[in-house]
Amino acid sequence: MKPFPFILVLLLIGGLVAGLAFQQAEAGSMAQASQEGEVIFQQKCASCHTIGGGALVGPDLEGVTARRELPWLQEFVANPGSVIDSGDPVAAQLLAEYNNVRMPDMGLTDAQVSAVLAYLEAPGAGAQAPPPACLLYTSPSPRDRTRSRMPSS
């Protein structure tokens, strides 16, 4: 038997194993960045933005990574004033739409900006489960009110 095909098969298997390990490591680092981004979002962004909860002072950010190009988002999150002052049409439209309230420069590092964007891009980012049915309050019906009355003595 020639050693060449055997070596080729070993190299192929080794390459597949290395590729899978790299994918797992990359997925782990993306999950970590998303978790860090969630913390930063809650500390720096959640007072003005929601993810799927509607507009506040600023826009709802659900799906923003699908609506805007990554380089634009990176620059706007890192330096919103510079992007607005540059005359960027998207920034100008957002400024007008949100009562000319400018997003403040949050002083985020490039790594923090990337983490926030990873969080916004993660499936289910910011999604909140509805409250359990037992916690929802509804007014009792007239029938329920009569059932709950204690007989008078």
Side-chain angles (χ1 to χ4, degrees):
M1 178 172 169
K2 295 181 183 178
F4 180 72
F6 180 71
I7 292 172
L8 188 59
V9 168
L10 284 177
L11 287 174
L12 181 60
I13 291 171
L16 288 173
V17 169
L20 289 173
F22 177 76
Q23 283 180 334
Q24 287 178 339
E26 188 175 275
S29 65
M30 286 298 292
Q32 182 178 354
S34 178
Q35 289 172 344
E36 291 170 6
E38 181 178 11
V39 171
I40 296 165
F41 183 88
Q42 294 303 324
Q43 292 172 346
K44 303 268 187 172
C45 312
S47 60
C48 295
H49 298 281
T50 68
I51 304 171
L56 296 176
V57 174
D60 183 337
L61 298 178
E62 182 175 44
V64 71
T65 58
R67 290 191 308 273
R68 305 276 182 255
E69 297 289 326
L70 183 61
W72 188 90
L73 286 169
Q74 290 169 324
E75 185 61 28
F76 190 81
V77 172
N79 304 299
S82 298
V83 176
I84 293 167
D85 293 342
S86 76
D88 180 90
V90 173
Q93 177 200 359
L94 289 169
L95 187 65
E97 192 174 331
Y98 291 92
N99 301 316
N100 291 317
V101 175
R102 294 170 69 99
M103 179 172 150
D105 182 347
M106 302 307 289
L108 300 177
T109 66
D110 289 343
Q112 289 173 317
V113 169
S114 294
V116 169
L117 293 176
Y119 171 61
L120 292 174
E121 194 166 25
Q128 296 177 348
C134 63
L135 295 180
L136 295 176
Y137 175 78
T138 58
S139 298
S141 69
R143 181 176 171 199
D144 291 335
R145 282 189 286 248
T146 58
R147 282 187 188 172
S148 65
R149 291 190 183 140
M150 300 283 292
S152 53
S153 18

